[in-house]
Amino acid sequence: MGRHSFALISILLSSLFASTKCQHYDLEPQASFESQPDSAQTRPPWSTLPVSNSTKSFWIDTPNANPLAREGSTGPLGFGDEDIDVCIIGSGITGVSAAYHLQRSFGVGATETGVERKIVILEAREFCSGATGRNGGHLTANYFNGFVQREQLYGKEDANKSYAVESYVVKSIVDIIQSEGWEDKVDLVHGGHVKVYNDEEYETARSDFEAAKASGLEVDGTEFLDRQTMLKTYGVNSSGLSTDGSNLWPLKFVSNLYNLSSTSNSNVKFKLHTLTPVTAVTPSDQDTKWVLATPRGSLSCNTVIHATNAYASYLLPQLQDRIIPTRGQMFAVRAQSSLERLQRHSWVANYGNEYWFPRPEESGKLPLVLLGGGRDTAEPGSEEYTTDDSVLNAKVGETLKGFLPGLYAGTGMFEEGRDAEMQWTGIMGYTKSGAPIVGPVEGLEGQYLAAGFTGHGMPRTFAAAEAVAGMVAAKLAGREWEAPDWLPEHYLSTWKH
């Protein structure tokens, strides 16, 4: 695949990015971590480690939001001279979810009783500082959007699974939050979700809805809204669709999930090392399969899980044309109306290019709305083929500044020309099909991958991580892995993408 723009995928683009105070920059050269000499093999310019000077994100850089930011960044690596069962590269929602599922799997079954396992999570920057710490904060399943195309590509059963898996993830995450009493800790808001359609989108959505319903897909709870209803209810002069949906503070969820995972199974020992980029993964001549090189030393690991999404091709160069790093931008702006009038829904519009929701109410302040998108107006290349989240795109910023006042024109809900309180960027990993790549890495026994979530990670990463964790746990226990009923076959790395 050459260096060209990927076609827009017909799924919600509801997860992203990183931050900077309200400033505008021209794009500057990226600054990246130094690589080890043996990693100086030829790579395309988009195949890099994360830059070390990323923009400041609302999610990450709000005071006290990231207590694990520099956890394990000093001191000895791993568990001394002891070999490690699983090394997870990446501390975002995928990596931490994998750790959560692993510790639940370890100790299950006769062959695992009393067996001690060791898990190490390695992060190039601060904890959860990739896309999870920079995204839009939406936790909303796609109910049927794009169904006609998916059914043609994958068949009815697998197309149905690609929607069912998202509902499974949303329910699973909400169930964990509620069972642990984290609702306030992670700012969980169950406010519903609204899609805004132009005429073309509306007709396509109706076709997808009818096809999905005929296939037996669960579409109850979705409601098409005509232009008059949208205008009367929301002040938006377009047709739309109302569905279930939530939003939350992604970093806080991942932080709590890590703390839960690292303390729940006495037979599993955890280590988290932030500010510890993995610069190479090479075969070992010892009993363990792999040696992970970092600037702080090396680790010997039996199994490696790559949870690096947009950055996957740095360590797995065979993915350089399969997972394309793509920069998204977020814009935090104050509304000019009460939260009661604005309502608590999350939103998406313009073929999924813009997405937003109001934050929970702050005493004495107007609602802060977190808006992402504008990438379709960036030139050249819609912000593809870059891993640099240290800068803002001024053109995208202007698009975002004008979007909400234009959409809500005449309502007074948003002030024309109002600057953002914060803007930030982050890097997503896009695949041509829009589907993630999940499973063993071909030709590298003991290495696994869960990446390529195409801007729609929140309702998919948790399940992808569960699938990979299941494969790893089964392998270590010497038993056969059985694919969960909800896992689409076309997610698997063995599928011909």
Side-chain angles (χ1 to χ4, degrees):
M1 190 186 316
R3 180 182 165 83
H4 59 79
S5 296
F6 276 79
L8 290 176
I9 308 301
S10 58
I11 59 175
L12 293 177
L13 301 179
S14 58
S15 325
L16 270 213
F17 330 31
S19 104
T20 274
K21 304 278 187 194
C22 183
Q23 307 173 43
H24 295 289
Y25 303 102
D26 292 325
L27 299 185
E28 301 170 353
Q30 67 179 24
S32 60
F33 293 108
E34 290 185 9
S35 299
Q36 299 285 67
D38 62 359
S39 69
Q41 57 185 291
T42 301
R43 290 189 177 95
W46 63 85
S47 184
T48 74
L49 286 166
V51 302
S52 56
N53 57 336
S54 56
T55 51
K56 294 185 181 297
S57 160
F58 172 86
W59 304 122
I60 297 172
D61 294 282
T62 295
N64 304 315
N66 195 4
L68 294 171
R70 300 197 165 207
E71 182 77 12
S73 60
T74 60
L77 282 178
F79 302 96
D81 293 331
E82 298 180 65
D83 292 334
I84 299 155
D85 293 288
V86 185
C87 285
I88 301 171
I89 307 173
S91 68
I93 190 169
T94 307
V96 172
S97 294
Y100 169 80
H101 292 299
L102 281 169
Q103 62 83 23
R104 285 168 60 87
S105 298
F106 289 152
V108 176
T111 60
E112 282 285 297
T113 302
V115 176
E116 183 180 78
R117 296 295 189 185
K118 302 177 187 68
I119 298 173
V120 171
I121 301 177
L122 297 135
E123 172 58 54
R125 300 190 293 201
E126 292 186 343
F127 180 75
C128 199
S129 58
T132 309
R134 305 173 181 281
N135 68 18
H138 296 237
L139 183 61
T140 300
N142 177 7
Y143 283 85
F144 57 80
N145 202 38
F147 182 84
V148 171
Q149 183 183 30
R150 291 191 194 181
E151 187 176 32
Q152 291 171 348
L153 287 172
Y154 310 123
K156 182 174 76 172
E157 182 180 358
D158 221 46
N160 283 3
K161 285 185 178 183
S162 73
Y163 299 92
V165 68
E166 297 193 19
S167 295
Y168 168 77
V169 168
V170 171
K171 182 180 185 304
S172 297
I173 290 177
V174 171
D175 283 351
I176 291 171
I177 291 170
Q178 292 178 339
S179 66
E180 297 295 330
W182 295 345
E183 291 95 331
D184 292 337
K185 289 183 178 181
V186 304
D187 286 356
L188 178 68
V189 173
H190 190 81
H193 182 74
V194 178
K195 293 183 177 70
V196 180
Y197 290 141
N198 62 29
D199 291 343
E200 181 183 40
E201 288 177 284
Y202 182 85
E203 292 304 319
T204 300
R206 291 295 316 194
S207 297
D208 285 332
F209 173 82
E210 295 299 338
K213 187 176 180 180
S215 80
L217 196 65
E218 180 60 62
V219 292
D220 290 348
T222 62
E223 180 184 3
F224 284 91
L225 307 173
D226 61 28
R227 187 181 297 268
Q228 184 178 1
T229 301
M230 288 280 285
L231 192 58
K232 180 180 179 180
T233 307
Y234 304 116
V236 174
N237 189 20
S238 297
S239 57
L241 178 77
S242 173
T243 72
D244 194 22
S246 301
N247 55 76
L248 78 171
W249 195 307
L251 168 62
K252 290 186 177 181
F253 170 70
V254 174
S255 298
N256 280 279
L257 190 66
Y258 173 79
N259 289 330
L260 175 66
S261 303
S262 62
T263 57
S264 291
N265 187 335
S266 61
N267 289 323
V268 181
K269 294 170 68 174
F270 270 82
K271 278 290 182 72
L272 168 63
H273 291 300
T274 62
L275 300 177
T276 308
V278 177
T279 56
V281 180
T282 55
S284 171
D285 56 4
Q286 305 298 321
D287 291 339
T288 51
K289 291 186 176 71
W290 302 104
V291 175
L292 277 62
T294 83
R296 298 171 57 195
S298 62
L299 292 167
S300 296
C301 301
N302 189 292
T303 306
V304 179
I305 296 176
H306 296 263
T308 48
N309 202 28
Y311 305 97
S313 68
Y314 180 79
L315 295 172
L316 298 171
Q318 63 269 45
L319 298 173
Q320 66 187 30
D321 290 321
R322 292 180 65 187
I323 298 178
I324 302 303
T326 302
R327 180 169 51 213
Q329 192 155 319
M330 293 292 296
F331 189 96
V333 64
R334 294 283 171 187
Q336 298 302 296
S337 63
S338 67
L339 187 58
E340 181 181 6
R341 184 183 178 199
L342 196 59
Q343 303 188 50
R344 293 177 176 268
H345 307 299
S346 59
W347 293 76
V348 64
N350 185 25
Y351 298 94
N353 282 304
E354 278 73 53
Y355 39 90
W356 67 99
F357 69 87
R359 289 270 307 130
E361 205 157 12
E362 302 169 79
S363 179
K365 292 186 177 181
L366 291 168
L368 183 68
V369 176
L370 302 187
L371 166 68
R375 191 170 61 83
D376 58 320
T377 65
E379 295 180 0
S382 297
E383 300 287 80
E384 294 164 350
Y385 298 93
T386 179
T387 54
D388 188 3
D389 57 11
S390 71
V391 295
L392 299 175
N393 185 306
K395 172 63 175 174
V396 172
E398 287 302 309
T399 297
L400 294 174
K401 181 191 288 190
F403 179 77
L404 292 175
L407 185 70
Y408 291 92
T411 66
M413 295 169 72
F414 290 90
E415 179 185 346
E416 188 81 35
R418 187 178 183 88
D419 286 329
E421 293 196 359
M422 291 183 80
Q423 282 194 76
W424 63 96
T425 53
I427 310 301
M428 305 170 286
Y430 270 58
T431 64
K432 185 177 182 180
S433 69
I437 303 173
V438 179
V441 179
E442 184 179 3
L444 300 173
E445 184 182 356
Q447 293 195 43
Y448 296 80
L449 172 72
F453 295 99
T454 312
H456 193 52
M458 289 299 294
R460 301 199 286 182
T461 48
F462 187 81
E466 182 174 350
V468 164
M471 296 175 194
V472 170
K475 183 75 171 177
L476 291 176
R479 54 182 167 81
E480 185 105 8
W481 174 71
E482 295 183 8
D485 292 340
W486 41 256
L487 182 65
E489 187 178 356
H490 68 268
Y491 277 22
L492 295 174
S493 56
T494 51
W495 180 270
K496 297 303 181 184
H497 285 265

